[in-house]
Amino acid sequence: MVSYKRLNPEEVYLSGPESLAPNPDDPLDEDPKEGDAEFPLLSRRPQCSVTSALLTLGGLIVIVLGVWLLGTVVWLRNPPSTDPHRPPPPASATPGDMQETGARGQPESCSLVPEAWRFDCYPERGVVVTMEMCQARNCCFIPREVTVKPGSQRPNGVPWCFYPPEFPSYTMVSLNDTAMGYEGTLIRKQQTYYPKDIETLQLDVLYESDNRLHVKITDSADKRFEVPIDVPEVKERASSPTYTVEFQKEPFGLIVKRAQSGAVLLNTSVAPLFYADQFLQMSTSLPSPYVYGLGEHRSSFLHNIQWNTLTMWARDVPPMELTNLYGVHPFYLCMEPNGTAHGVFLLNSNAMDVVLQPAPALTWRTIGGILDFYIFMGPDPSSVIEQYLEVIGRPAMPIYWALGFHLCRWGYKSSNRTWEVVKEMRNYGIPQDVQWNDIDYMDRAMDFTFDPVNFATLPDLVKDLHRHDQRYVLMLDCGISSTQPAGSYWPYEEGLRRGVFINDSNGDTLIGKVWPGLTAYPDFSNPATHDWWYESLQKFHHRVPFDGLWIDMNEPSNFFDGSTKGCPDNELEHPPYTPGILGGILRAKTLCASARQKTSTHYNLHSLYGLMEAKASASALKRILVGKRPFIISRSTFPSQGVYSGHWLGDNKSQWKDMYTSISGMLTFNLLGIPLVGADICGFGEETTEELCVRWTQLGAFYPFSRNHNAIDEQDQDPTVFSPAARMAMKEALLLRYSLFPFLYTLFHHAHISGHTVARPLFFEFPTDQKTYGIDKQFLWGKSLLVTPVLESGVDFVVGYFPKGLWYDLYTGDSLISSGEEIKLQAPLDKINLHLREGAIVPTQRPNTTLWVSTGQPLHLISCLSAESSAEGDMFWDDGDSLDTYETGQYAYIQFRVEKNTMTSEVLHGHEEASYLTVESVSFYGVKTEPSNVTVNSQDAEFTYTTNQVLTVKDLGLNLSQNFTISWT
């Protein structure tokens, strides 16, 4: 059991009538003895004699019967509410429940709380909760028939120990109008079982926009840590909010509803509010069980709400279920029963648990900071994400080559071997834009160095890549070697001189251990560290002119628990409550929680480390690669990360299950504002098979960030090492990706300017179709391209769900009309099924082996006519690598439409970049009757028409920078 400071009786503030005060003659209220599990911090109810108990029971039976008769009459006249957002009426107590309650001195109200609405009063792990321990917290105790071995962690499920309806919480004693909304005061009159309760809280309810509500609960007396990311500063109250806010005074509760329908989105009155120094907890009902987001965890895309606890605390660990992984994203999106959606974001970086239970309800439980909530009203899921990104920041526009195919491995072992692989890819004509090296390029695993023997030709390799219009990305870890001879390693010595490293609680440089051995850790919360980081990168760039950075191990990872000196025994290292983090302690495989950084303790800043390093790295690359967009991929992430970097999903395995779960990870990070995301194609750890690698390359060709990467001592898995048939299948998949580059690049433009997703779950486009809510084996690019990969071994078909409507096979134009059903598709080893949605126009391009060459090739437009014979699409185009082209107007934007047998192309924003491209051909899928005549800009043109209703016009030579018209009769 996690230990915590016990409160002395004199520290307990008891309120209420004297008759409710503890009886000094009651043996249950004696002073605690050494070894007692706990003693009560709140007043107990006085015990009664057997006689009085019988009289009381008899009286209660009479009352209950009377109430039941009256209630039956009322119910017949007024059936109970079906509102799903509040706890249902209490269930009747069973004889077994009564034995567990009345006989043991706990309120009978305990047995009336439905199981789904029982909020855990004893969430500590590694402990078997007993009745005495539970009642010491003045909570209800009803054990379940579950066998738990002594000392083992109890399974997730209905809590045995839960809050009674009358458990004390805060009371709202004042509420005043402000220019932005409301300001209130919350008072706690009775202490909880966690130390250092904050007795007076300030509540701020801010109507920031019509679709965004901001709620902050802070200590009214003392300043507490707040997450240092940029959020909007709003000074004018929303004029027409789509939400209403109601308050429950005692116990305090906040209820947020949709203004138009009255639907309840949040109701925090369902469980008590906690706000102690190191334990903050707030619960809310949910309008449905459809919850997404809450990264980073390996799970299905749709979260399980059956007593599921998701822990957040950045951790270096290969992806596995029920474990806190590399990133922390306390944001969820919830679909509502009628197809509308809302989102909630808790801006808090401390270690936390998020508990989902089948009521449905959710509990936030964090150990520091403040309660700082944003509620986004949607009403559709895409709008929720747009509103969320208005707060945390929209993703950066990637440099064009970032969307090509990347190749890497840990274990090339030399620059010459790396070079050989690049040449093999070229010889086979397999697309590749970027070559990477893992840590083995370094001299003794030290940042800003390269092995002078095995990687002596690294600078020449990079120059060769550049001559072939390819790019080079290298890895950097955050640990800086601290053991090199004096005068031999500038990054450490200069960093020490400038004071850029994280210190321990004594003020000395904290030393941990990573790949180079003993290391110091840069403090990226310190502006001085950003300058030192830039200078270190600049010096190395002069030797190896890299194009992008891969920042790894930045949770930050540590092979020790804490430091070489250990960590102090204090409340930061051993908080009263520790969330369910892997290792059970905050310092597990990372730094001491009590370590000192420039702006706060590591206790507060830990999960921000990857974000702060990405920000420093983006700033440095902008200074080094003058005028170019920085390319960074980071392992650890936090909200607003997409402004600075992309993300890969970590050290997965070469298994079919990992391939499948990568789709959930990709979709989740698109919800979280990091659309440049992908998994290691073919798997990182263990050995792949040819079939798995082919299928994974086909899927990976549709990751927004597409990279093949594997581990040291595993077999090679780049496309060149497989059989001719497998190699050709991989090549065709990658060429297909390159042909779709104009479409993908335009999707990233919309992500950058509007906060749209790139890879998208089906329910975003079909929010009223509940069959789509749990789909995570298929996904969309944008609104229109449906990807249905094979995710199983030994099959030549795949079953995919097609929402209601008209769909077209991308390759052939064959149409498929769905009523909203699953359809079996043929899927030989050389094919991934792709379908286009009716009403879309998708720009494609003749592909080549690098995007630099591909982006100069002619365009082919695919127009997918709807049942009404209409379609629309667009295309964004710029030079591909300059900073802020949209913001400075250095771009072209073209809109395509089809109506009444006529396609029009309209240049809405012109730029010379568009003049370098021509539209060479157009295909119209779904032309119901064969035309007799086709004209292009009023001139007759040749065309073909096939029996599957595909009209194709070729040899157009139309300049993209000029409007054009294509008509048929």
Side-chain angles (χ1 to χ4, degrees):
M1 184 178 82
V2 178
S3 63
Y4 56 86
K5 178 185 174 184
R6 300 174 183 273
L7 296 186
N8 297 319
E10 58 270 18
E11 292 180 279
V12 181
Y13 175 71
L14 299 173
S15 63
E18 292 184 4
S19 61
L20 295 181
N23 184 345
D25 297 325
D26 188 340
L28 291 178
D29 290 311
E30 291 176 359
D31 289 339
K33 296 180 176 60
E34 187 68 23
D36 285 352
E38 274 185 22
F39 63 91
L41 304 182
L42 301 174
S43 58
R44 294 176 183 256
R45 297 174 181 272
Q47 290 196 329
C48 55
S49 68
V50 174
T51 302
S52 61
L54 291 173
L55 290 173
T56 302
L57 181 60
L60 284 174
I61 291 173
V62 173
I63 294 172
V64 168
L65 287 173
V67 170
W68 178 79
L69 289 171
L70 179 62
T72 301
V73 174
V74 173
W75 183 85
L76 289 172
R77 291 177 176 269
N78 298 290
S81 171
T82 58
D83 186 349
H85 312 297
R86 297 183 182 275
S92 298
T94 65
D97 284 338
M98 292 303 293
Q99 291 175 4
E100 294 292 345
T101 55
R104 297 189 177 183
Q106 62 185 13
E108 290 186 13
S109 60
C110 292
S111 63
L112 303 180
V113 179
E115 288 187 347
W117 289 95
R118 293 178 181 176
F119 292 86
D120 199 347
C121 178
Y122 217 115
E124 284 82 355
R125 287 163 177 78
V127 56
V128 177
V129 183
T130 66
M131 179 183 69
E132 291 74 19
M133 295 163 64
C134 180
Q135 290 187 346
R137 296 186 170 187
N138 273 10
C139 286
C140 302
F141 184 75
I142 302 180
R144 302 273 293 171
E145 293 183 3
V146 178
T147 301
V148 182
K149 295 180 180 179
S152 65
Q153 179 173 326
R154 58 194 170 89
N156 279 353
V158 181
W160 293 11
C161 183
F162 56 95
Y163 302 112
E166 62 272 16
F167 192 92
S169 183
Y170 284 86
T171 299
M172 186 170 67
V173 296
S174 69
L175 184 68
N176 300 304
D177 289 332
T178 67
M180 287 297 299
Y182 296 100
E183 179 180 283
T185 301
L186 311 180
I187 299 292
R188 174 174 284 284
K189 299 176 182 178
Q190 291 180 275
Q191 288 183 313
T192 65
Y193 45 85
Y194 286 114
K196 299 183 181 178
D197 279 312
I198 298 172
E199 295 181 355
T200 305
L201 302 175
Q202 178 174 319
L203 168 71
D204 290 292
V205 179
L206 310 172
Y207 291 58
E208 291 194 342
S209 77
D210 289 345
N211 294 300
R212 182 175 80 235
L213 178 68
H214 186 187
V215 178
K216 292 181 73 172
I217 304 177
T218 57
D219 186 340
S220 62
D222 296 316
K223 177 72 174 176
R224 293 175 59 83
F225 175 78
E226 297 188 31
V227 179
I229 67 171
D230 294 331
V231 295
E233 291 188 14
V234 182
K235 298 182 178 179
E236 185 174 341
R237 178 172 176 163
S239 58
S240 302
T242 57
Y243 47 85
T244 62
V245 182
E246 299 174 9
F247 303 92
Q248 179 174 292
K249 292 186 177 182
E250 186 171 6
F252 168 72
L254 179 77
I255 299 97
V256 179
K257 299 180 179 179
R258 290 198 179 277
Q260 185 174 12
S261 66
V264 178
L265 306 187
L266 278 88
N267 178 5
T268 71
S269 68
V270 295
L273 168 66
F274 283 73
Y275 210 119
D277 181 42
Q278 291 181 276
F279 187 86
L280 293 76
Q281 180 172 286
M282 179 176 278
S283 302
T284 178
S285 63
L286 296 170
S288 86
Y290 301 112
V291 179
Y292 310 84
L294 298 173
E296 180 175 13
H297 300 92
R298 172 162 143 154
S299 69
S300 56
F301 179 52
L302 171 62
H303 283 300
N304 174 17
I305 65 162
Q306 297 299 315
W307 306 105
N308 182 17
T309 297
L310 302 169
T311 300
M312 298 188 192
W313 179 251
R315 179 63 151 82
D316 173 8
V317 59
M320 62 181 73
E321 285 78 1
L322 303 177
T323 303
N324 52 299
L325 300 183
Y326 313 107
V328 167
H329 294 269
F331 164 82
Y332 71 81
L333 179 145
C334 182
M335 291 298 296
E336 299 160 34
N338 63 351
T340 57
H342 71 277
V344 177
F345 172 42
L346 171 58
L347 182 52
N348 184 292
S349 61
N350 291 93
M352 74 173 70
D353 285 332
V354 181
V355 184
L356 297 166
Q357 64 189 72
L362 177 147
T363 296
W364 302 96
R365 187 184 297 138
T366 183
I367 62 172
I370 66 171
L371 295 179
D372 190 358
F373 290 99
Y374 290 87
I375 298 98
F376 309 102
M377 302 301 293
D380 59 273
S382 292
S383 296
V384 171
I385 303 307
E386 292 173 28
Q387 292 155 18
Y388 175 46
L389 299 192
E390 286 177 2
V391 171
I392 65 168
R394 300 186 186 97
M397 184 67 186
I399 197 165
Y400 77 96
W401 51 259
L403 305 185
F405 180 63
H406 302 241
L407 188 58
C408 181
R409 76 159 301 166
W410 178 25
Y412 285 124
K413 299 181 180 178
S414 74
S415 51
N416 285 341
R417 174 58 189 151
T418 309
W419 207 338
E420 289 171 5
V421 172
V422 172
K423 292 175 181 178
E424 283 292 287
M425 292 285 286
R426 293 173 187 162
N427 290 339
Y428 285 113
I430 300 173
Q432 182 192 0
D433 262 81
V434 193
Q435 180 62 49
W436 299 42
N437 274 122
D438 206 312
I439 196 171
D440 47 335
Y441 82 88
M442 297 180 185
D443 181 11
R444 293 163 291 165
M446 295 190 298
D447 282 351
F448 314 113
T449 69
F450 65 91
D451 185 333
V453 177
N454 295 320
F455 281 81
T457 60
L458 182 59
D460 298 320
L461 164 62
V462 176
K463 291 177 183 177
D464 179 72
L465 289 168
H466 290 169
R467 282 195 297 269
H468 287 83
D469 303 315
Q470 294 172 301
R471 300 294 178 265
Y472 182 71
V473 171
L474 53 79
M475 168 183 277
L476 277 183
D477 290 341
C478 57
I480 303 297
S481 175
S482 63
T483 59
Q484 302 310 308
S488 66
Y489 191 47
W490 186 89
Y492 177 69
E493 293 181 354
E494 183 64 15
L496 203 61
R497 187 185 71 81
R498 299 189 192 184
V500 304
F501 297 120
I502 294 175
N503 292 328
D504 61 23
S505 57
N506 294 322
D508 301 321
T509 300
L510 184 146
I511 302 298
K513 182 180 180 181
V514 206
W515 299 114
L518 298 182
T519 55
Y521 294 82
D523 175 10
F524 290 105
S525 74
N526 184 352
T529 306
H530 290 223
D531 292 332
W532 163 85
W533 190 244
Y534 155 69
E535 291 177 35
S536 299
L537 285 167
Q538 184 186 48
K539 289 176 182 292
F540 190 62
H541 190 265
H542 287 155
R543 302 175 65 197
V544 180
F546 58 86
D547 301 285
L549 291 177
W550 175 17
I551 53 177
D552 191 18
M553 307 291 283
N554 55 349
E555 290 71 34
S557 180
N558 185 2
F559 296 165
F560 293 147
D561 288 346
S563 76
T564 55
K565 298 178 181 179
C567 302
D569 184 9
N570 60 29
E571 59 188 7
L572 293 181
E573 301 296 338
H574 303 285
Y577 173 80
T578 300
I581 60 179
L582 183 64
I585 51 176
L586 296 179
R587 64 179 177 273
K589 301 307 176 197
T590 189
L591 311 187
C592 297
S594 57
R596 299 180 185 175
Q597 297 188 231
K598 177 71 173 180
T599 59
S600 189
T601 60
H602 196 69
Y603 182 90
N604 293 322
L605 296 174
H606 168 81
S607 292
L608 293 164
Y609 195 92
L611 169 63
M612 294 186 293
E613 185 187 13
K615 187 174 183 179
S617 299
S619 174
L621 287 186
K622 287 179 181 179
R623 296 171 70 181
I624 294 169
L625 307 171
V626 180
K628 304 298 183 184
R629 300 171 201 165
F631 173 79
I632 299 159
I633 294 293
S634 174
R635 190 167 74 179
S636 186
T637 59
F638 192 82
S640 80
Q641 189 91 23
V643 177
Y644 309 104
S645 82
H647 173 62
W648 98 103
L649 296 173
D651 296 339
N652 60 2
K653 295 180 181 180
S654 296
Q655 297 181 358
W656 291 92
K657 180 179 181 181
D658 289 65
M659 178 181 169
Y660 156 60
T661 58
S662 73
I663 298 176
S664 297
M666 171 186 65
L667 294 177
T668 295
F669 273 90
N670 269 265
L671 266 60
L672 301 176
I674 310 176
L676 188 63
V677 62
D680 285 342
I681 295 172
C682 303
F684 174 74
E686 303 181 358
E687 291 194 354
T688 191
T689 65
E690 182 167 280
E691 181 191 15
L692 174 61
C693 205
V694 169
R695 293 302 195 188
W696 208 327
T697 301
Q698 291 169 343
L699 168 61
F702 292 90
Y703 292 155
F705 166 60
S706 182
R707 183 187 70 166
N708 179 314
H709 175 52
N710 68 323
I712 197 168
D713 297 329
E714 306 292 356
Q715 67 181 18
D716 290 341
Q717 64 182 37
D718 63 85
T720 69
V721 305
F722 295 102
S723 69
R727 188 170 60 241
M728 181 58 68
M730 295 181 190
K731 176 180 176 179
E732 290 299 323
L734 295 174
L735 286 171
L736 186 57
R737 176 189 179 87
Y738 277 50
S739 72
L740 288 163
F741 173 76
F743 178 52
L744 181 60
Y745 194 65
T746 301
L747 292 178
F748 269 97
H749 162 70
H750 290 300
H752 172 59
I753 66 167
S754 301
H756 292 179
T757 51
V758 173
R760 188 171 301 175
L762 272 67
F763 74 81
F764 268 48
E765 293 301 318
F766 303 93
T768 60
D769 183 354
Q770 287 198 8
K771 293 178 183 178
T772 65
Y773 287 11
I775 291 177
D776 54 12
K777 293 184 177 181
Q778 296 170 275
F779 59 95
L780 294 161
W781 265 13
K783 295 181 178 181
S784 51
L785 179 62
L786 177 62
V787 183
T788 308
V790 172
L791 302 171
E792 300 176 46
S793 175
V795 299
D796 59 1
F797 68 91
V798 63
V799 175
Y801 180 76
F802 286 78
K804 184 177 181 180
L806 178 61
W807 298 86
Y808 295 96
D809 186 297
L810 172 72
Y811 307 101
T812 64
D814 291 347
S815 62
L816 182 159
I817 299 175
S818 174
S819 61
E821 58 195 301
E822 289 187 337
I823 296 176
K824 184 177 180 180
L825 306 167
Q826 294 303 307
L829 190 60
D830 61 352
K831 179 183 179 181
I832 181 171
N833 276 276
L834 302 169
H835 290 82
L836 291 169
R837 182 181 176 189
E838 63 174 312
I841 299 176
V842 175
T844 69
Q845 200 162 34
R846 187 184 304 163
N848 211 292
T849 54
T850 68
L851 285 176
W852 178 258
V853 177
S854 293
T855 54
Q857 299 301 303
L859 296 173
H860 173 65
L861 305 181
I862 303 176
S863 178
C864 305
L865 301 186
S866 68
E868 294 75 30
S869 298
S870 63
E872 62 180 9
D874 61 352
M875 182 172 165
F876 173 86
W877 205 248
D878 61 11
D879 66 10
D881 60 9
S882 295
L883 285 167
D884 302 326
T885 56
Y886 176 77
E887 291 76 7
T888 58
Q890 303 300 306
Y891 69 94
Y893 183 69
I894 299 93
Q895 190 172 72
F896 309 105
R897 292 184 183 276
V898 175
E899 291 179 330
K900 299 178 180 178
N901 295 353
T902 299
M903 168 180 264
T904 57
S905 170
E906 183 179 4
V907 180
L908 299 182
H909 192 282
H911 190 263
E912 64 177 350
E913 287 294 333
S915 67
Y916 304 142
L917 290 182
T918 58
V919 176
E920 197 66 21
S921 58
V922 180
S923 289
F924 299 91
Y925 293 172
V927 177
K928 296 174 183 177
T929 57
E930 182 175 1
S932 59
N933 177 258
V934 174
T935 61
V936 178
N937 291 334
S938 302
Q939 300 294 316
D940 289 345
E942 296 185 0
F943 63 94
T944 61
Y945 182 82
T946 55
T947 56
N948 62 342
Q949 300 185 340
V950 175
L951 168 66
T952 302
V953 187
K954 298 182 178 179
D955 302 321
L956 295 173
L958 299 170
N959 195 293
L960 188 65
S961 64
Q962 298 175 0
N963 297 343
F964 62 81
T965 301
I966 301 173
S967 299
W968 65 92
T969 56

